[in-house]
Amino acid sequence: MNSLDIDARLAVLGESYPQITDIISGNAIDTLPTEKAADLVARIQQISSEE
């Protein structure tokens, strides 16, 4: 995934999103640690600013 450009990454995420939401229930998402989500957001912001 890292070798793809940003448009290709977004396309992959867009295609996989419906499949992921069918697999992961809302309850499972609520149990995820918020620290990891915050780390993920920070990484995405860092990638965006680099490009």
Side-chain angles (χ1 to χ4, degrees):
M1 181 99 162
N2 289 335
S3 63
L4 300 174
D5 66 16
I6 191 68
D7 292 331
R9 288 181 195 182
L10 290 172
V12 169
L13 290 173
E15 288 293 321
S16 60
Y17 181 77
Q19 297 166 358
I20 292 170
T21 57
D22 289 342
I23 295 170
I24 301 174
S25 69
N27 293 338
I29 292 171
D30 291 337
T31 63
L32 294 173
T34 56
E35 294 167 0
K36 289 189 179 188
D39 290 342
L40 180 59
V41 169
R43 287 181 58 200
I44 291 169
Q45 290 173 335
Q46 181 181 13
I47 292 169
S48 297
S49 65
E50 291 173 358
E51 293 182 14

